[in-house]
Amino acid sequence: WDSLRAALTGGDTRLVRGTFVDSMYKNNLLLPPWQDLPLNSYWDAEELLSQGTTLDRPPPRIISISYSWLSPSHPDPNGYHLHCLASLLRLFSRSHGIGLNRVAVFIDWCSLPQPPWGDLTRKAHVRAMRGLDIWYAHRKIDVWLLSSTPEGVRPFAERGWPTFEREAALILSGKRGGVLDIGQLSDPGEAASWGEVVEKCAITRRSPPL
């Protein structure tokens, strides 16, 4: 947890609470950018990390999201990705015997300072970007690739950041289900069990060429 502590200290990077994601979806609202997150919508770093080392209950689960932005002004203007994310968070938490209040989500729009920047937020963005790789290449973090896109949108596989995030995740992928290509599901909201999600979506590190 020490490397995660370093990445979270100072508040430049914010991990959104699973309960907040679920609430926004239920109320037909869009996820807000970093600057507009309500105070109680994201984890305090010390709260998260202290719960990660306690032995009397399961540690919080951290999930990093890789996805395609669907417009320049808002990455998910119609809630396309939010439908997928919220549906799977519920299934994930039930399967792992934890509540959504024990889930922390890294998703760039909410987790990193967004433009327009002032002087302070620009500096915060630069600091947060220095540790970006850890959110996709850490053994304690699950990575979900929301690779589906609406018709007419440039595919996930043809985009730079999603490609970087996918490859970073596969570097340390050691457990089945640690990296999931959610685009393999026709409708994430229709998945019957988390086992079905893992069976259809799990991807593993490729062997290096000989």
Side-chain angles (χ1 to χ4, degrees):
W1 291 88
D2 289 343
S3 56
L4 296 179
R5 182 183 302 278
L8 290 170
T9 297
D12 299 325
T13 300
R14 296 172 175 175
L15 300 185
V16 182
R17 295 181 184 273
T19 48
F20 178 71
V21 174
D22 190 60
S23 174
M24 296 297 284
Y25 177 67
K26 286 179 177 176
N27 288 287
N28 295 313
L29 299 172
L30 300 179
L31 291 175
W34 182 93
Q35 289 93 323
D36 296 338
L37 284 175
L39 186 61
N40 63 354
S41 66
Y42 56 92
W43 285 81
D44 173 78
E46 286 306 315
E47 176 193 9
L48 175 70
L49 296 167
S50 64
Q51 292 189 31
T53 56
T54 185
L55 299 178
D56 60 347
R57 59 194 299 193
R61 298 295 295 262
I62 303 175
I63 301 168
S64 285
I65 307 302
S66 179
Y67 66 110
S68 300
W69 277 45
L70 303 183
S71 82
S73 59
H74 192 289
D76 192 26
N78 298 308
Y80 178 89
H81 291 309
L82 182 57
H83 164 72
C84 174
L85 176 57
S87 300
L88 290 178
L89 284 177
R90 296 173 191 169
L91 199 59
F92 176 87
S93 63
R94 287 198 302 268
S95 172
H96 290 81
I98 58 175
L100 285 171
N101 62 330
R102 304 286 293 170
V103 175
V105 178
F106 176 90
I107 182 167
D108 62 355
W109 175 246
C110 302
S111 297
L112 304 174
Q114 301 297 321
W117 293 304
D119 185 53
L120 293 179
T121 51
R122 181 180 294 278
K123 290 177 180 178
H125 177 79
V126 170
R127 290 192 298 265
M129 290 296 291
R130 289 175 186 153
L132 180 64
D133 57 334
I134 196 173
W135 302 111
Y136 297 96
H138 194 286
R139 294 188 185 277
K140 293 187 181 295
I141 298 176
D142 295 291
V143 178
W144 297 356
L145 313 176
L146 307 188
S147 59
S148 293
T149 54
E151 185 176 353
V153 173
R154 185 154 58 102
F156 179 94
E158 296 179 7
R159 294 174 180 244
W161 278 114
T163 298
F164 162 78
E165 292 156 0
R166 181 184 189 278
E167 294 306 311
L170 290 176
I171 290 173
L172 291 180
S173 175
K175 60 180 179 180
R176 180 168 171 77
V179 182
L180 298 175
D181 181 359
I182 304 302
Q184 300 303 311
L185 299 174
S186 57
D187 182 353
E190 297 298 320
S193 69
W194 190 249
E196 176 189 341
V197 174
V198 172
E199 181 64 29
K200 292 182 177 180
C201 302
I203 56 178
T204 56
R205 180 174 46 194
R206 294 188 295 269
S207 298
L210 297 176

